Amino acid sequence: MSSWHIQKVIEKYNLYYNPMGNEKIRKKREVSQKKKRITQLKNKKIEGLFFQLDTIVMWWNGVKRYIFTAVEKVSKIGFARMYKNASCLNATDFLNRLWYLTD
């Protein structure tokens, strides 16, 4: 006897132990199965600028340097700036300068 056959018998005669609790679980499963697919997200048009950010580590004359870069996805506008270390203050400075240039 397969588990599918047992499930069909339980459904046919409504042999669930806690029907209200099972209903909640069933609804949660239905909601979780209705996820957005990647193709739906790609077709959605994004208003404004969409930057892709990256940090490049480079050794220059024996000193470690960090290059923060930003490239706009559609128009391919690029912005880069070099810093001595990769701190949150330098990241904030980079984002503020990027904001100033694109505003």
Side-chain angles (χ1 to χ4, degrees):
M1 197 182 260
S2 68
S3 60
W4 177 84
H5 183 68
I6 294 170
Q7 178 66 31
K8 291 300 172 187
V9 170
I10 291 171
E11 288 175 0
K12 181 178 180 181
Y13 295 107
N14 199 14
L15 299 175
Y16 290 109
Y17 173 70
N18 184 0
M20 293 302 288
N22 290 332
E23 184 69 21
K24 289 178 184 178
I25 291 171
R26 187 183 61 78
K27 285 183 180 179
K28 283 183 183 179
R29 285 183 185 157
E30 287 178 2
V31 169
S32 66
Q33 290 176 358
K34 295 180 183 177
K35 295 179 182 176
K36 286 190 176 183
R37 300 292 174 213
I38 293 174
T39 54
Q40 292 172 335
L41 297 175
K42 284 184 179 179
N43 293 334
K44 187 177 179 182
K45 185 173 179 173
I46 299 172
E47 296 292 327
L49 299 174
F50 184 71
F51 282 96
Q52 297 173 334
L53 303 170
D54 193 15
T55 304
I56 301 168
V57 179
M58 185 172 133
W59 286 91
W60 188 33
N61 293 333
V63 180
K64 197 174 192 180
R65 299 290 181 198
Y66 297 89
I67 303 171
F68 290 71
T69 61
V71 178
E72 206 279 321
K73 188 175 179 180
V74 177
S75 64
K76 303 297 182 195
I77 296 171
F79 176 67
R81 187 155 173 90
M82 186 183 294
Y83 293 97
K84 290 183 180 179
N85 54 18
S87 67
C88 61
L89 293 174
N90 289 337
T92 304
D93 177 61
F94 177 78
L95 291 174
N96 286 334
R97 289 174 187 267
L98 181 64
W99 178 273
Y100 178 77
L101 290 173
T102 57
D103 193 27

